[in-house]
Amino acid sequence: MTIVTVAYNSTEVLPDMLASVPPATPVVIVDNASEDRAEVHRVVAARRGPTRLVENARNLGFGSACNRGADGADTEFLLFLNPDTALCSDTLQQLVDAAERHPDAAGFNPRILDGEGRAVVKRRSDLVDRAEWLPKRELTGDTVVPVLSGAALFVRRAAFEAIGGFDPAIFLFFEDDDLSLRLSRSQGRLVYVADAAVHHAGGASSGGSVTSERIKNWHWGYSQIYTARKHGLRANCAAAVLKTALRTLSPATIVSARRRRKYSARFAGMIAALRQTGG
């Protein structure tokens, strides 16, 4: 397999992720115009094993960067892995074994563990019918899931290429939901692999400044509407806009500068998506 990771000001966490990857496994690092690019070069040079650095002149967003990293890969599998993760010693073998057990499956998620060792499972998506959502219970074996998390997404390269990879129109958020739907509809099932584990620190790549949070929330709103409209879910669009508008105008938001920034940015992103896609 080839591991693809997207870095954006991620050099505090990237070395630990790379250290967890077996030396013989190829890694492609796509740098999305980080401010610490010189340090990225140092981290890449320090890794023992095949490592390729792709440098974007500007931040292309997560999905487009993943696509660039996957270009040229000739391995049977791809693993899109966040830079703030770490593999266990048998994670890759467990994923390959799962792919052999489920030849009709196109994509897989390992058991993603948070900082306290708890499994974080993506059980639902607004793009998926509620009847397909997973109940809140521990998953102890291989389980078919409605969507995959992009934090550690293992996919057959042929299936990924057949659907054209990630949608480049999605800069950030919901790109894994969209990819999951397209995979499951045309390439095969999606499977959660309980025996393969990945530790995920979470939120360690792009910083937490006011400007950064505003940008992220704008893209959350934009992508939520864009993906819903893309998959023909107009009722979901209306519900999302109404819900966000009510939160924007709620007393709790009015008295909180942080909440005002959050929901006003999300609402602005939603309106931009509606205008771009014809209302």
Side-chain angles (χ1 to χ4, degrees), residues 174-212:
F174 298 96
E175 65 281 299
D176 45 2
D177 299 59
D178 171 70
L179 183 84
S180 296
L181 263 66
R182 291 186 288 121
L183 280 173
S184 63
R185 288 172 178 171
S186 68
Q187 301 301 312
R189 300 187 300 171
L190 311 175
V191 176
Y192 172 89
V193 186
D195 290 339
V198 170
H199 294 276
H200 183 212
S205 293
S206 58
S209 69
V210 170
T211 300
S212 173

Side-chain angles (χ1 to χ4, degrees), residues 25-48:
T25 303
V27 175
V28 181
I29 300 169
V30 184
D31 185 76
N32 250 343
S34 295
E35 296 172 2
D36 57 352
R37 182 161 284 183
E39 186 66 11
V40 174
H41 280 267
R42 188 195 66 77
V43 170
V44 171
R47 191 205 174 216
R48 292 181 298 173

Side-chain angles (χ1 to χ4, degrees), residues 100-123:
E100 292 179 353
R101 289 195 301 273
H102 303 281
D104 60 339
F108 305 80
N109 260 160
R111 188 171 78 256
I112 300 174
L113 305 173
D114 66 13
E116 297 181 5
R118 298 171 299 194
V120 179
V121 182
K122 194 166 186 177
R123 303 175 183 274

Side-chain angles (χ1 to χ4, degrees), residues 80-143:
F80 296 100
L81 192 63
N82 275 17
D84 55 353
T85 60
L87 304 172
C88 295
S89 59
D90 64 344
T91 302
L92 302 186
Q93 187 60 55
Q94 291 287 356
L95 288 171
V96 172
D97 290 347
E100 292 179 353
R101 289 195 301 273
H102 303 281
D104 60 339
F108 305 80
N109 260 160
R111 188 171 78 256
I112 300 174
L113 305 173
D114 66 13
E116 297 181 5
R118 298 171 299 194
V120 179
V121 182
K122 194 166 186 177
R123 303 175 183 274
R124 51 167 287 183
S125 168
D126 290 340
L127 303 182
V128 175
D129 190 275
R130 285 177 178 267
E132 299 179 43
W133 292 4
L134 291 181
K136 290 185 178 181
R137 58 179 175 81
E138 183 180 4
L139 303 181
T140 57
D142 294 353
T143 306

Side-chain angles (χ1 to χ4, degrees), residues 165-178:
F166 286 97
D167 183 345
I170 305 173
F171 185 85
L172 189 63
F173 299 118
F174 298 96
E175 65 281 299
D176 45 2
D177 299 59
D178 171 70

